[in-house]
Amino acid sequence: EANQAHEFALVELHLSNTIEKDTADRDEKAVEKGKRAAASAKAKGELGETRKELAADQKLQAEIQATFAVKSANYKQNQEVRMQELEAISKAIEIISSPAVAQ
């Protein structure tokens, strides 16, 4: 009977230790799961913000490119007008400098 009582005490101790360890493991995993869930929620929030910022940046980029295209076209047109003006001035100087006008 003493052996049975000792054996029972050992089994009870073993099961008690196993339950405590499993409970501690479960609690640890629950804490880790909570941390991961919080990190995931934070990351999803940041992802949403980043996507909004990306959309705004892409819109700004499109506006800047459109403005650049318009200004480049205007500059090119202005350069052509300036070339025509310079040619006209050169011809005017040539005409005014000619001996026929000097008389």
Side-chain angles (χ1 to χ4, degrees), residues 20-80:
E20 285 179 23
K21 183 184 179 316
D22 290 345
T23 302
D25 288 348
R26 185 192 65 210
D27 292 344
E28 185 179 318
K29 287 179 183 180
V31 168
E32 186 63 31
K33 182 179 178 183
K35 287 179 183 177
R36 286 184 186 163
S40 176
K42 181 180 176 184
K44 285 179 183 177
E46 289 175 355
L47 178 62
E49 289 177 24
T50 301
R51 285 185 175 160
K52 287 178 186 176
E53 291 173 5
L54 175 62
D57 289 347
Q58 288 173 334
K59 181 181 175 186
L60 178 62
Q61 180 185 20
E63 290 173 3
I64 290 171
Q65 287 174 337
T67 301
F68 175 76
V70 168
K71 287 187 177 191
S72 293
N74 286 342
Y75 178 78
K76 184 176 180 182
Q77 184 179 9
N78 287 341
Q79 290 297 73
E80 291 175 9

